[in-house]
Every structure is written in C-alpha cells, then in structure tokens.
Amino acid sequence: MDNPKITAPEPVRVRFAPSPTGYLHIGSARTALFNWLFAKKTKGKFILRIEDTDIKRHIENAIQLIINSLKWLGINWDEGPDIGGNYGPYRQSQRIEIYKEYAEKLIAQKKAYYCFCNQKKSEEKFNSKINIINDNYNNSSNIANITYENDITKINKIKNVGNCECIKLTKEQIKENKKKNLPYAIRFLTPKNYLISFNDLVYGKIKVNSDVLEDFIIIRSNGLPTYNFSVVLDDILMEITHVIRGEDHISNTPKQILIYNSFKKNLPKFAHLPMIIGEDGEKLSKRHGSISIEAYKEEGFLPEAINNYMALLGWSYDEKTTIFSTNDLINKFTLEKINKKPAKFDYNKLLWFNGHYIRNSKPKVLEKLIHDKFLSKIKDKENFIKKLPQLIPLIKPRIKTINEAEKFILPFFNDIDYTRIKNEFDTLDIKLYLNIIREAVLNIQSIKKEDFNPQNTEKYLRELSAKNNIHIKKIAETLRFAIWGSKVSPPLFETIALLGKDKTLDRLTKFEEFLKNIV
RNA sequence: GGCCCGUUCGUCUAGGGGUUAGGACAGCAGAUUUUCAAUCUGCCAGCAGGAGUUCGAUUCUCCUACGGGCUACCA
C-alpha cells in the first residue's frame, strides 16, 4: 500500500537545519540551495533552523559562520534564529521543554519508556534480551496492546533487534529510581514487525521492516533530545511540508516516520539528495581540503559560480545548458530532475565556472572585488585606485579566481625584484637584451607623453624591430623582463601604456643596470 | 555482519526498447597571437558483469560484483 498520508498542504514550507559544528561546507550548502530554490520556485517559505542539541560538538561561533556563508551565497530565509518568525524559537537548544513535553506524552501513551541503563554499547545490551522481550509481548503485558497507525503493514521476516531491559520496569520501580535521582533517558518503543514505507520524491519507494530498528533514545539522560526526535517534532510544529536533505538521512527516515505516526501526524514529503563525495569516493569531510564556503570566498570565488556549480551536482535541466544564473536556477529548478547518483566534487570544474563568471561580470563589480582584496598590499595606493579600471579588461580573461589577480596587480604597482628571474634568461642573450633596451629607451623617449598609448608604443616598437632586424618576439620578451619582471605578462603594449612613460623608462634603466651587474 | 541506496566518457551529466549514445569540465592537437590567457575548430574517451523478457536491450526484470550510507544518549 502506498503511503496515503503524504499529502502536503500548500504553501510550501521547507527548512535548512544545520548543526553548528563548524563552517558551512559544500554538501550542506547544496542542501540549503536546493531547499531555497524550491521555496523560491514555489513561492513558499524557507526556514533556517539550528540543530544544536549536541553540546559536545557545538562550536560557539559556528551559527554566525553558517549565517554569514548563506548570506554571502545569496540564500536568505523567511524565518530563522536571527529574524524570528511565527514558529520559533529556531534554535533547538531553546526548545528543550517542548521535546520533553512531547516525550512524556509518548510515555503516557506507552509509546516510549524510561531507560535507566548506563550508556553502554547497545549491542551487548540488546542481543541477549530478545527472547525475553518477545515473550513479554506475547504475554500481553501492559505494553503489548500498543496500537499504531495501520499504514504500516505487517510483514514477517526479520529478527527483532530488541528492546532495552528497562521496558520491564514497573511503575513502582521507576518511581523509586527517580526518587533516587538516577539519570534516565527516554526510549521510543518501536513497534514489532511492521513494514515502514515511504515514497521518496527522488529515490522512489523505500521499505524497511521496523524490526531492524532498536528502541532508540529520543531524550538523552542530560535532558536533551536526539536528532531523530527533535527533527520530527520541529518539522511537525513548524509545519514543514517538504523535507529536502542529504541521502545519508534515508536510513533515519523510517525511525522518524514512526515518530510521526506515534503523534498521528501526516508525513511531509521527503526528497533525499545524492551525496557529494570527495575524490576518494567517500563522504565529504574536512579531510578533503578546502570545502567550506568560507574558504572559497577567501580564495576569490564568486557566489554565482558556486551556486551554479552546486546546482549541477545532482541536478540538471536539459542536455546542454550548463550556465545558470541564480535567477535561472529559481525559474528552472524542479525536484523531479534531481538524480540519485552520488557526485564527486570536482574543483577544476568549479574553477572553470568561476572563470566564466569573472569574465562575464561587470567591470565595476570586478573592480571592487580586486580593490578590496589587494589595496592593503599595494605601495602606490593612489595610482592603484586611479589605474585599476583600465587594468580590469587586461586581467579579466586571465584569472579564474580573484586571488589569481595578484600576479597581474602587484608587478604593476610595486617594485620589481629582478634577482628572482635571473634563471629565466640565457646569459648568452644578455648582450642582445642590453641592445634592445638601449634602442627601446630611445624609441620610447621619442613618444610624446600625450601620445603614450598602446597603439603608439606598438608602432614604435615594431619600427624598432624592423629597423634593427630583431624579431618582435625577442623585443617583447626583453621588455617583459624589464617592465614586468617575468616572461609572462598582460598584453605588453597596453601594459607599457598603462605604466606610463616615466615608469617604463625607469624600469628599463633599472633592468639595464641589473643586467650589466650580472655580466 | 544486518538494513537501505546507488552504478552512462577520468569528472558532472543527457537520453531511453531500434540513436553515429548528446553536452560540459579536464586532457590532447590546431587556428589566432608580442608572452600567458581568453576565443574558435578538431580529437580522445562511456552504458560494471551475467542471465532473462524481446525480432531487438545501454534502456525492462533478476542475480553477482563494486561503491556509498545508516546501524550512537552525532546530526
């Protein structure tokens, strides 16, 4: 039987629910993006909720880091810890009483029970108890007549994982334990031998027998809820209609469905996203290098490029389109086109996207990014600010990240250290270099300051080439060393023109001296 | 181990009972060029294996292999 209960009311309400254990990384960011796109596309609400129920893993400023990264990506939310909303609070640590209250309801209905065990390995605990507990069930003790929604149909196949021995505790024993202040957790009582099935919007129908699920903890002995309990409660209370999250949560979904059922609540629609994995094929983690959004921001990636790339990890639109502005994504996004195959994260492709977006960005935008990034590293700041707009077109096609602009910016405004390039030229060529420089100086000097533009510098240097029968390539090479300190530079004539007559001559002279000294 | 999920070029993917299996990144080659890029052109490269269904299977079914996830008082 198909799930009759997966009907979600309009309008759509989706959430991104990170746990604040560190930076926002690519995997989570992609989940956030897909939720956000879906909300935008359907004109629904996107909610940010912080799942901070694990004190041990909590990192204090992580919430702010996550918020910053999301904002930087352009992902905004309608309700969240920072802006509030009608379903708050939006930090689970501020909802502890709610979880307790609902857990007690389950206990009252005998759908959960207190557990006074120490925190030992569940394996040793469960294994030996199976028979006893099954007997317990068969003897129709006080827990045997628990009823569940009938949309989980009975099947008969798998060995029961079992209950905790604490299920046998009498009311009196529990009272006594509590009086003694013994710490206790609350376990969910998993129904026996039921087929739990749900229809995943991406993966299709998924079925699990409830007997593979042990009686899992829903409230820890420290009073905090566990993930599987708090997500469900919050998703119910916040009226989430679509749960869009990583595929690693498929295995958790059956437990969660049990909880929905125990509260007689309708299921949201589930859409699980294929994992993003590292080069080694494993779940993306810190081991895989810079995967945090923050790191990409620092490296000089553009948010549009990252969004575009992330969207294509597990989703596609048609057979040819690869470039999607964030707006395109909103317009074209559909859950139906999400695929099931885990995607390897490919840094190279991200780089290509970024290069594309840099090449296509407005000069002003690029100018600001480069200005902000490099101003502190520039000696001649005034000149930098003045010349930058003209520099942008030279740099644009040559960089894939903003940081890469460094090698086109610094040589322009800072002094050149010729000793660094000593090994790049053949000592046999030095005589020729000196020759060229001497001629070039004369040539350049003869250009009037007001005529000092790319066209003229090119004209004069080509004349020099023709007159002295030296190939223009050799001249360019020499001048590049002199004015740029490298064999590679932005287009030479433009660079010379931008550098200006004085600075060009100055560098030529300095290079000449340098060459003379090493002969 | 158990349960769940997956498998189309190296990578991201399109496709779907009959296709020269399409695109993009990377790689390679060429064009352009004052270098490096950018750009343009071309090339290389793929349906995990085995059964079954079928006139025909990469596509549907089953099995195997491989990979991943979960199996916590993590999320």
Side-chain angles (χ1 to χ4, degrees):
Chain A
M1 169 169 72
D2 258 326
N3 252 313
K5 309 191 94 184
I6 41 175
T7 50
E10 295 296 325
V12 160
R13 287 175 59 81
V14 292
R15 83 307 196 270
F16 173 57
S19 64
T21 55
Y23 291 103
L24 180 70
H25 65 81
I26 285 283
S28 316
R30 192 270 243 116
T31 301
L33 210 219
F34 280 29
N35 273 285
W36 182 77
L37 290 174
F38 184 62
K40 290 290 157 196
K41 169 76 182 254
T42 58
K43 306 226 172 355
K45 299 283 185 227
F46 175 68
I47 293 133
L48 176 64
R49 181 175 76 218
I50 304 295
E51 310 222 324
D52 53 349
T53 57
D54 182 5
I55 324 165
K56 285 179 223 121
R57 295 205 308 157
H58 184 86
I59 292 173
E60 196 27 55
N61 62 345
I63 296 177
Q64 200 50 51
L65 293 175
I66 289 168
I67 284 180
N68 291 348
S69 291
L70 287 172
K71 282 187 176 166
W72 181 71
L73 287 172
I75 296 174
N76 55 338
W77 43 98
D78 303 292
E79 298 165 29
D82 53 337
I83 54 172
N86 294 332
Y87 297 77
Y90 294 90
R91 283 182 64 165
Q92 291 189 328
S93 59
Q94 294 165 352
R95 302 169 63 81
I96 304 304
E97 290 312 312
I98 301 176
Y99 309 123
K100 274 189 188 159
E101 181 194 329
Y102 279 86
E104 290 296 339
K105 281 186 189 172
L106 290 185
I107 287 193
Q109 298 170 49
K110 299 202 162 46
K111 290 174 180 172
Y113 58 93
Y114 294 112
C115 172
F116 293 90
C117 298
N118 299 327
Q119 297 178 215
K120 54 185 168 185
K121 270 263 167 72
S122 23
E123 278 173 41
E124 36 183 296
K125 184 155 59 188
F126 289 129
N127 284 343
S128 57
K129 308 299 178 209
I130 294 172
N131 291 331
I132 305 171
I133 296 306
N134 278 343
D135 285 351
N136 194 343
Y137 264 85
N138 294 336
N139 291 340
S140 74
S141 67
N142 59 339
I143 50 162
N145 51 6
I146 292 167
T147 54
Y148 283 90
E149 301 308 307
N150 212 15
D151 62 331
I152 32 185
T153 32
K154 257 189 158 174
I155 61 163
N156 230 327
K157 213 166 85 195
I158 301 151
K159 188 170 76 173
N160 188 354
V161 179
N163 311 85
C164 173
E165 208 175 347
C166 293
I167 196 170
K168 294 190 293 184
L169 258 27
T170 63
K171 270 183 184 154
E172 290 67 35
Q173 286 172 309
I174 292 169
K175 219 177 212 172
E176 205 164 302
N177 282 344
K178 279 189 165 179
K179 205 178 267 173
K180 279 192 273 184
N181 262 331
L182 288 181
Y184 62 87
I186 298 177
R187 281 185 191 278
F188 184 79
L189 179 56
T190 303
K192 303 306 169 219
N193 204 19
Y194 281 98
L195 179 71
I196 307 167
S197 82
F198 64 102
N199 200 20
D200 192 277
L201 262 23
V202 174
Y203 286 86
K205 191 162 184 170
I206 292 170
K207 300 177 240 181
V208 178
N209 185 299
S210 69
D211 283 356
V212 302
L213 271 23
E214 80 280 6
D215 290 348
F216 51 95
I217 303 273
I218 55 176
I219 302 284
R220 301 173 173 103
S221 49
N222 65 6
L224 298 180
T226 55
Y227 166 73
N228 282 123
F229 192 57
S230 53
V231 243
V232 173
L233 228 36
D234 287 348
D235 286 343
I236 290 172
L237 264 15
M238 294 181 183
E239 296 179 18
I240 299 303
T241 60
H242 298 250
V243 172
I244 304 169
R245 67 210 330 178
E247 187 242 67
D248 48 341
H249 287 293
I250 285 186
S251 313
N252 289 320
T253 308
K255 288 180 186 171
Q256 295 168 13
I257 288 176
L258 254 18
I259 296 175
Y260 279 100
N261 283 332
S262 70
F263 287 117
K264 297 187 161 62
K265 293 295 181 188
N266 290 342
L267 298 180
K269 293 192 178 174
F270 292 102
H272 287 93
L273 273 21
M275 303 301 282
I276 298 176
I277 56 184
E279 291 291 325
D280 53 5
E282 280 173 39
K283 200 175 170 179
L284 215 51
S285 73
K286 288 118 227 137
R287 288 183 295 110
H288 295 97
S290 65
I291 54 163
S292 76
I293 296 300
E294 182 67 24
Y296 290 116
K297 182 185 172 191
E298 284 309 306
E299 263 189 74
F301 282 85
L302 307 181
E304 305 91 295
I306 294 180
N307 284 341
N308 195 156
Y309 176 65
M310 288 195 303
L312 261 15
L313 251 24
W315 176 85
S316 61
Y317 177 66
D318 60 16
E319 51 184 44
K320 37 186 64 154
T321 320
T322 49
I323 298 299
F324 296 90
S325 70
T326 305
N327 256 337
D328 289 338
L329 289 176
I330 291 172
N331 291 330
K332 293 177 172 162
F333 184 78
T334 53
L335 258 21
E336 288 72 31
K337 295 287 280 180
I338 295 174
N339 67 24
K340 306 175 191 179
K341 191 189 153 192
K344 270 189 191 141
F345 179 76
D346 183 356
Y347 182 79
N348 245 328
K349 192 149 184 177
L350 209 211
L351 260 187
W352 177 82
F353 272 108
N354 207 52
H356 173 89
Y357 278 94
I358 285 177
R359 269 173 262 132
N360 287 283
S361 63
K362 295 212 170 75
K364 283 276 173 221
V365 173
L366 201 54
E367 191 185 320
K368 173 149 182 22
L369 289 171
I370 289 176
H371 171 274
D372 293 353
K373 193 105 197 181
F374 296 109
L375 187 64
S376 64
K377 290 185 174 177
I378 304 290
K379 238 171 77 179
D380 187 354
K381 293 191 189 339
E382 198 184 323
N383 200 28
F384 171 61
I385 292 166
K386 202 176 105 196
K387 294 275 176 69
L388 189 54
Q390 294 163 271
L391 215 43
I392 294 294
L394 302 189
I395 298 175
K396 222 180 188 183
R398 269 164 259 268
I399 56 172
K400 288 198 162 71
T401 66
I402 300 300
N403 288 14
E404 283 176 21
E406 174 163 322
K407 61 175 182 280
F408 297 109
I409 296 282
L410 298 193
F412 214 97
F413 301 100
N414 293 351
D415 293 334
I416 294 170
D417 177 13
Y418 294 114
T419 54
R420 268 192 320 113
I421 53 166
K422 216 171 178 175
N423 298 327
E424 284 192 46
F425 44 76
D426 194 337
T427 36
L428 293 175
D429 274 346
I430 288 181
K431 240 181 144 174
L432 177 61
Y433 290 150
L434 283 168
N435 229 336
I436 290 173
I437 288 170
R438 205 170 312 119
E439 292 292 322
V441 167
L442 291 175
N443 255 291
I444 286 168
Q445 265 169 345
S446 66
I447 305 176
K448 286 189 199 131
K449 255 193 181 165
E450 59 268 32
D451 293 336
F452 207 77
N453 58 39
Q455 295 72 35
N456 280 328
T457 51
E458 175 162 12
K459 195 179 108 194
Y460 278 70
L461 289 173
R462 285 197 188 276
E463 275 171 18
L464 184 155
S465 164
K467 197 168 70 189
N468 298 288
N469 199 23
I470 304 169
H471 200 286
I472 189 72
K473 286 190 184 196
K474 209 65 200 175
I475 293 175
E477 183 185 317
T478 311
L479 295 204
R480 232 173 239 120
F481 279 131
I483 64 149
W484 198 256
S486 163
K487 220 171 190 168
V488 176
S489 79
L492 186 65
F493 309 121
E494 281 87 342
T495 306
I496 290 175
L498 263 175
L499 213 48
K501 186 171 175 178
D502 295 343
K503 225 168 178 179
T504 302
L505 287 173
D506 179 54
R507 287 188 178 182
L508 285 173
T509 317
K510 282 200 174 120
F511 188 53
E512 187 177 18
E513 276 162 33
F514 170 77
L515 285 179
K516 278 178 182 160
N517 283 334
I518 62 167
V519 173

